[in-house]
Amino acid sequence: MDSFTFTAPLWRWTAREESADAGAWSFVTLPLEVADEIRQRSGEPRGFGSVRVHVEAAGKAWDTSVFPDAGSGSFVLPVKKAIRVAADVEEGDDLTVTLSLRDPA
């Protein structure tokens, strides 16, 4: 199975007031070329256009989904607090991740 490794800045979702909380949702945006490959290989999208992926970062591995982002034309990957702590990253820092499709077409 193909995997994609990239480095992208971590950003915090700020659409709601409570997102200023340290436990708020944080994401990285996939590079457009990775997003294009995922669209080609993932088949029919799931709810909200999500695509199931396996991710490795900061010595941790987990299963999650990436979600389409109309603003960037790419996908965003949620990064949970345990991963941010393990990688010692916060908003604005770069995070290197490797992801692969869980249900390739």
Side-chain angles (χ1 to χ4, degrees):
M1 179 184 310
D2 291 329
S3 62
F4 307 94
T5 300
F6 61 91
T7 301
L10 187 70
W11 56 273
R12 183 164 297 150
W13 185 57
T14 58
R16 295 190 180 162
E17 188 120 352
E18 66 267 17
S19 66
D21 174 11
W25 290 95
S26 296
F27 300 88
V28 294
T29 302
L30 280 60
L32 288 174
E33 60 273 9
V34 173
D36 290 344
E37 285 289 325
I38 287 173
R39 280 187 193 93
Q40 290 176 8
R41 298 175 188 204
S42 64
E44 189 66 30
R46 297 168 41 95
F48 302 106
S50 66
V51 176
R52 293 166 28 129
V53 295
H54 177 77
V55 183
E56 296 180 24
K60 305 282 186 186
W62 72 101
D63 291 331
T64 189
S65 294
V66 292
F67 299 89
D69 176 48
S72 68
S74 185
F75 287 96
V76 295
L77 168 70
V79 180
K80 55 189 173 181
K81 185 175 182 178
I83 303 304
R84 299 190 314 262
V85 169
D88 191 27
V89 294
E90 54 189 45
E91 184 177 4
D93 293 342
D94 284 343
L95 180 66
T96 299
V97 301
T98 299
L99 64 82
S100 55
L101 295 173
R102 287 177 31 209
D103 303 319

